[in-house]
Amino acid sequence: MDVTQQIIPKIKLTIDSKENPLFEWKLDNGGLNAEIVNEEIDAFFELLITFHYFEYTYNFSEDKEFKQELEQNKKNLLNQFFSDVKMSILNDALVNLTNFFSNKKDIHLNHNPEIVKELFFDFKTFEEKINQYMSEINFQETEDLLEVVHMNRTNINLKVPKIIFPWYIYALTNTYKVLPKYSDKEINIVQERYIPLKQIRSRNAQEMELLDKSQRDFKSFIKSLKVNTIYNQSLNLYLFNETTNLYDIFNLVNNKKEAIEDENFKTLFSEFLKSGEWYTIREANFQEVSRMANINSFGVKTLLINEFESKKLFNNEEIWDIYNQIFNFCKSNLLNKIQEDFLLALKHIPEKIRLDFAIYRIFSKEEPFEDIVENVLEGELNIYAPSADNNQENYLYNAYADAYKKFYESRNKKTE
């Protein structure tokens, strides 16, 4: 019998309440942290990492070391899950705060100057930060972009919270040409039709140009996250990847790079290349992994891809439907905890944004994905291109192209 069908039917997602909670959040020295207090939900997360072992006939259940390893792996997975929940509600809160202060009602700005100063740059500083950012990433159209920014000076800086400045300015480099000029229309910097992956129609110059740009965009964005106490590196990367999937693609190809550079694998890789078999294996592998494209849990997705890759898991829509429901329950549970325990001290904050400001204060300095950013920055950020005389370089370029196409197809499957 399929193990998933032993576990999934037992999961009851309608019992999350004070009497029968799924999660319990507690405040400790490390901030707000959670644990699962429901056996079915605990079994579900164990299922996510044991998919990796289903293809083996060995009886792991009798292995004590395996059980210890499983518990540690589950702990790591849950740490990533709760980090994703925190980043998600932090982003929701920033959206609400931004909407509150950028709706051109000056009463909000005049009555809450300290909050505005904490959340946003003033316009002059905003322009200076943009100039600095563009210089660091060697952007070639800075004057044109700043002209558009100046045309929208009344509230564009109030659309960009300080802690996610790199993400919004990256988005601005892709959308500034379509922003309104001297207009009362609502400004939307992150216009998703201009930022995500693009369709590659054939292997030609258009493909090479597009893939070169995507790699350089990723490299520039990651470098913009270098240590700065103002920015939240984790949330910036979370939002960047949620829209572009460029970290997912980089991570997949980088895993392949590490594999083919392994001394024990080089001979086998060479034989695979000669037979052409390795290309078939790689394409099939990316096809399966790309099904994770629409899963917006950055930490969980990265851990599963790196450590517990499983075709059965990535292809199982029922699993991910349940996962999304659990994720939303956990968010709701956390919001209730904050409402109950943290709002009393913020009576001076307007009621409409009191919860959002509390969330900002609690989580704005948490950096659950800091290690990922640091590891990328410390490693090689290669730009792969076709090569006639370097098998490894050519393989990695084709791997990047395949991964890009598969993720594009997965992201656009429902709309095409």
Side-chain angles (χ1 to χ4, degrees):
M1 181 179 181
D2 185 350
V3 179
T4 61
Q5 297 311 312
Q6 295 177 14
I7 296 174
I8 291 175
K10 297 179 182 178
I11 298 174
K12 299 177 178 63
L13 294 174
T14 58
I15 60 173
D16 189 51
S17 63
K18 289 184 178 180
E19 295 75 25
N20 297 291
L22 303 179
F23 307 93
E24 184 177 346
W25 289 88
K26 295 179 181 178
L27 183 64
D28 56 32
N29 293 334
L32 261 178
N33 294 296
E35 61 181 27
I36 294 174
V37 291
N38 176 278
E39 289 183 2
E40 287 77 25
I41 302 302
D42 189 67
F44 175 82
F45 280 94
E46 190 169 297
L47 175 68
L48 293 185
I49 52 178
T50 51
F51 259 99
H52 184 66
Y53 303 100
F54 285 172
E55 295 177 3
Y56 297 95
T57 56
Y58 176 71
N59 186 3
F60 288 104
S61 63
E62 302 299 323
D63 190 325
K64 289 184 179 180
E65 288 188 10
F66 171 73
K67 287 182 178 179
Q68 292 175 349
E69 181 182 334
L70 183 64
E71 282 304 310
Q72 184 58 52
N73 289 337
K74 185 168 65 175
K75 182 180 179 181
N76 294 341
L77 179 66
L78 287 171
N79 284 340
Q80 295 300 328
F81 173 77
F82 292 128
S83 294
D84 286 330
V85 169
K86 292 175 184 180
M87 291 297 100
S88 182
I89 71 160
L90 175 57
N91 180 52
D92 293 345
L94 288 171
V95 169
N96 293 336
L97 289 165
T98 298
N99 290 339
F100 182 79
F101 286 112
S102 64
N103 65 3
K104 298 187 178 181
K105 291 183 179 179
D106 292 338
I107 186 172
H108 294 328
L109 305 179
N110 296 334
H111 287 193
N112 305 279
E114 293 304 314
I115 300 176
V116 174
K117 186 176 180 180
E118 182 174 346
L119 291 172
F120 307 102
F121 295 117
D122 62 75
F123 184 74
K124 182 180 178 182
T125 305
F126 183 66
E127 281 191 308
E128 291 171 353
K129 292 287 184 183
I130 291 177
N131 241 324
Q132 180 183 348
Y133 181 94
M134 297 308 170
S135 176
E136 289 176 355
I137 68 171
N138 198 28
F139 187 68
Q140 300 299 309
E141 300 171 13
T142 302
E143 288 187 11
D144 295 339
L145 185 147
L146 284 173
E147 183 181 358
V148 173
V149 168
H150 202 78
M151 290 176 182
N152 291 283
R153 65 173 297 146
T154 52
N155 75 339
I156 192 170
N157 58 308
L158 301 178
K159 290 286 187 182
V160 183
K162 289 179 182 178
I163 66 169
I164 47 176
F165 176 86
W167 158 238
Y168 269 94
I169 303 309
Y170 167 81
L172 189 62
T173 63
N174 289 273
T175 63
Y176 78 93
K177 292 180 181 179
V178 297
L179 291 183
K181 300 174 182 178
Y182 298 117
S183 171
D184 290 332
K185 292 181 180 179
E186 181 71 13
I187 299 170
N188 180 14
I189 293 174
V190 183
Q191 298 187 46
E192 293 195 0
R193 61 178 290 194
Y194 298 101
I195 302 173
L197 306 178
K198 307 293 190 297
Q199 185 175 16
I200 296 177
R201 300 186 183 278
S202 60
R203 288 186 177 273
N204 54 22
Q206 180 255 355
E207 175 196 280
M208 288 186 284
E209 182 180 344
L210 183 58
L211 297 182
D212 181 77
K213 182 181 185 303
S214 71
Q215 293 178 82
R216 294 185 188 282
D217 281 355
F218 175 74
K219 186 174 183 176
S220 296
F221 179 78
I222 288 294
K223 286 189 172 181
S224 76
L225 300 183
K226 286 182 179 178
V227 179
N228 186 314
T229 55
I230 296 175
Y231 307 146
N232 186 302
Q233 294 180 328
S234 300
L235 183 57
N236 277 282
L237 182 56
Y238 181 98
L239 294 173
F240 172 82
N241 193 63
E242 183 178 54
T243 302
T244 69
N245 290 114
L246 289 180
Y247 174 79
D248 292 333
I249 295 169
F250 164 83
N251 188 35
L252 271 174
V253 177
N254 197 54
N255 287 344
K256 299 299 177 191
K257 179 175 182 290
E258 290 178 0
I260 64 177
E261 287 179 347
D262 187 297
E263 290 297 327
N264 297 321
F265 188 72
K266 281 186 177 180
T267 302
L268 180 61
F269 172 68
S270 179
E271 292 174 359
F272 269 129
L273 279 183
K274 290 176 183 177
S275 68
E277 185 178 355
W278 192 241
Y279 292 98
T280 304
I281 294 172
R282 185 195 66 214
E283 186 173 6
N285 173 249
F286 288 169
Q287 178 72 52
E288 305 302 336
V289 177
S290 70
R291 297 180 189 277
M292 299 284 283
N294 292 303
I295 302 298
N296 291 330
S297 289
F298 175 82
V300 166
K301 178 166 56 174
T302 299
L303 181 68
L304 291 175
I305 288 174
N306 288 349
E307 305 292 339
F308 305 104
E309 190 174 310
S310 165
K311 294 178 183 179
K312 290 181 179 179
L313 174 60
F314 296 159
N315 282 329
N316 195 314
E317 293 184 6
E318 186 177 14
I319 288 286
W320 296 110
D321 286 342
I322 292 174
Y323 176 88
N324 288 332
Q325 292 178 63
I326 294 173
F327 190 87
N328 290 331
F329 271 124
C330 193
K331 282 180 67 173
S332 177
N333 190 284
L334 176 54
L335 290 172
N336 290 337
K337 174 69 175 178
I338 295 171
Q339 281 182 313
E340 291 173 2
D341 295 353
F342 291 87
L343 298 193
L344 194 61
L346 296 174
K347 283 189 173 181
H348 61 291
I349 304 297
E351 184 177 1
K352 190 173 182 180
I353 59 168
R354 196 171 296 158
L355 176 59
D356 297 309
F357 192 70
I359 292 167
Y360 167 80
R361 278 283 179 87
I362 295 167
F363 297 122
S364 61
K365 294 189 183 300
E366 285 208 16
E367 288 282 6
F369 310 131
E370 185 176 32
D371 288 347
I372 292 177
V373 177
E374 290 179 358
N375 287 339
V376 175
L377 285 171
E378 289 172 2
E380 293 183 72
L381 286 165
N382 297 308
I383 306 295
Y384 301 116
S387 174
D389 55 3
N390 186 321
N391 282 340
Q392 180 172 309
E393 177 78 11
N394 203 51
Y395 171 81
L396 291 169
Y397 170 78
N398 286 316
Y400 191 94
D402 286 344
Y404 188 104
K405 290 174 184 177
K406 298 304 181 186
F407 270 83
Y408 172 84
E409 290 169 3
S410 291
R411 285 298 293 257
N412 293 275
K413 184 178 180 181
K414 292 182 180 180
T415 58
E416 289 188 338

